[in-house]
Amino acid sequence: MANREGSDSQALLSRAATAWRMAGVKVAGVLAEEDGDAVCAAGFLCVIGSGKRFSIQLDAVPAGTSCHLDSRGVEAACAEVLPLIATADVVILSKFGKLEAMRQGLWPAFERALAAGRPLLTTVSPKHAAAWRGFAPDAEWLQPAEGSIRQWWAVAGGGSAQAS
């Protein structure tokens, strides 16, 4: 699903995860959560199911960059999710962005989900769409809407449970 200005992609992913989990679907992954004090929108990654939170916001910007993203926090969240992918029915990863385009951050979770043949729902930063297409050339692009996610899951999930 491409990130679109004005759409709350994380809320869409969260609602899908909640509905699937309530229907008995095993969901593995992470969602971004805002930190009211953060410079960037996301301050934390939260593991779906356990609720464990990982800070992904640096206190100070490193020299030569304007990015406050803490790759160590993203990688720690990824390490928490990796063992859950093998038994998941669906994987939700908050975003394929700058780190993942450089094969860092959540990259190992993306790789493991695809290698395991798990349905994967994510958002893709427009700046990194080419890197995403290189990684997952057959991926289906969804509109950032609940109906679009429901239709995708009816096919990808084998119709086993619907996200409402």
Side-chain angles (χ1 to χ4, degrees):
M1 181 166 56
N3 283 339
R4 300 266 193 272
E5 193 164 326
S7 72
D8 190 348
S9 298
Q10 294 305 299
L12 280 171
L13 296 177
S14 179
R15 286 192 296 274
T18 298
W20 289 331
R21 291 182 72 230
M22 289 177 61
V25 176
K26 293 178 190 168
V27 181
V30 293
L31 295 169
E33 290 184 350
E34 289 186 19
D35 177 2
D37 298 330
V39 174
C40 299
F44 298 93
L45 285 179
C46 183
V47 177
I48 297 168
S50 75
K52 188 170 182 180
R53 296 172 81 208
F54 294 86
S55 174
I56 60 170
Q57 187 76 39
L58 293 170
D59 292 333
V61 181
T65 183
S66 62
C67 185
H68 283 76
L69 184 62
D70 182 358
S71 62
R72 293 170 302 176
V74 178
E75 290 164 0
C78 183
E80 187 82 12
V81 169
L82 283 174
L84 306 175
I85 293 172
T87 59
D89 296 319
V90 63
V91 177
I92 297 176
L93 298 172
S94 62
K95 181 179 179 181
F96 185 93
K98 176 177 82 171
L99 290 176
E100 292 72 28
M102 297 185 306
R103 297 184 177 208
Q104 298 172 16
L106 295 174
W107 175 263
F110 280 100
E111 269 191 320
R112 186 162 298 173
L114 263 53
R118 298 293 181 261
L120 171 64
L121 186 61
T122 191
T123 64
V124 178
S125 172
K127 286 194 289 189
H128 305 293
W132 172 253
R133 284 185 195 102
F135 171 65
D138 298 326
E140 182 177 347
W141 289 86
L142 306 179
Q143 293 299 313
E146 290 180 34
S148 186
I149 293 172
R150 276 195 302 272
Q151 289 174 349
W152 170 79
W153 181 246
V155 175
S160 61
Q162 294 293 318
S164 47

